Amino acid sequence: MSGGAARAAVLARVRSALADVPAGEPGAAVPAVPAAAAPDDLAGLFADRVADYRATVTRCAADDAAIAAAIGEAFARHGAGSSVVAPGVPEAWRAAAPGPEVDEPALALERLDAVDGVLSGCALGIAETGTIILDGARRSGRRAITLVPDLHVCVVLAADVVAGVAEATARLGAAIVAGRPVTLVSGPSATSDIELDRVEGVHGPRRLEVVLAG
């Protein structure tokens, strides 16, 4: 079923369910999903959960110099000599990436496959799940640059870490309305084969370095 046909089917079921509702009947308010209780240290919880997924987490101060130093160390740990950078990454961070090529105009997939890593920011982090959300905006970059290179260095500002999925979803409204792709990243790309042996790097980078600033 195509996307348009599926939408039509869903709307038809909604109309059918509402068919016996008297005209003019006021709608009832639906209570909002209560926000999860915020732990005292959201950034600390986020760091623990991300590390559980085999990502390497580096915590640093929120100033550009500290972030740039952490970025440089992250790429150096993997011997990376080239990188692609999301166009909205600040210049001070960009300079710390090896041989940075800004993805503007968009680089060809062959070039993305040839570079050693990618540097991006993100929209949000979710503390409860250790998930990074990329919203397709300039700091997150387009989806391809964070899926093709084998190393992803991602800067997460502690101020952008929220408690749970409900709060994160509420903040993604603008990206969804704008039709931008939203990507949820929980650790390096991994799946299991038929014997349940873990296989990494099938659908994205095998190595994830998280710079948690603030």
Side-chain angles (χ1 to χ4, degrees), residues 30-176:
V30 176
V33 177
D40 293 336
D41 180 9
L42 286 180
L45 177 59
F46 173 77
D48 290 344
R49 296 288 165 82
V50 172
D52 285 344
Y53 287 118
R54 301 189 182 184
T56 301
V57 182
T58 301
R59 299 199 64 171
C60 66
D63 61 273
D64 284 342
I67 294 172
I71 290 170
E73 291 168 2
F75 278 108
R77 268 194 290 276
H78 300 276
S82 59
S83 62
V84 58
V85 181
V89 166
E91 176 61 35
W93 306 359
R94 185 186 308 168
E101 295 181 57
V102 179
D103 187 49
E104 190 172 60
L107 299 176
L109 289 177
E110 292 78 8
R111 185 55 194 152
L112 296 181
D113 194 36
V115 298
D116 293 330
V118 55
L119 171 64
S120 81
C122 69
L124 295 169
I126 303 176
E128 287 182 345
T129 61
T131 301
I132 296 166
I133 297 181
L134 309 172
D135 66 352
R138 290 176 59 80
R139 185 168 290 197
S140 295
R142 63 190 174 105
R143 179 174 278 170
I145 70 169
T146 55
L147 292 180
V148 178
D150 201 37
L151 167 65
H152 184 186
V153 178
C154 184
V155 179
V156 181
L157 302 180
D160 291 333
V161 176
V162 300
V165 174
E167 187 176 354
T169 302
R171 294 194 183 191
L172 288 172
I176 294 170

Side-chain angles (χ1 to χ4, degrees), residues 15-44:
R15 292 189 187 99
S16 175
L18 296 174
D20 59 349
V21 177
E25 181 177 279
V30 176
V33 177
D40 293 336
D41 180 9
L42 286 180

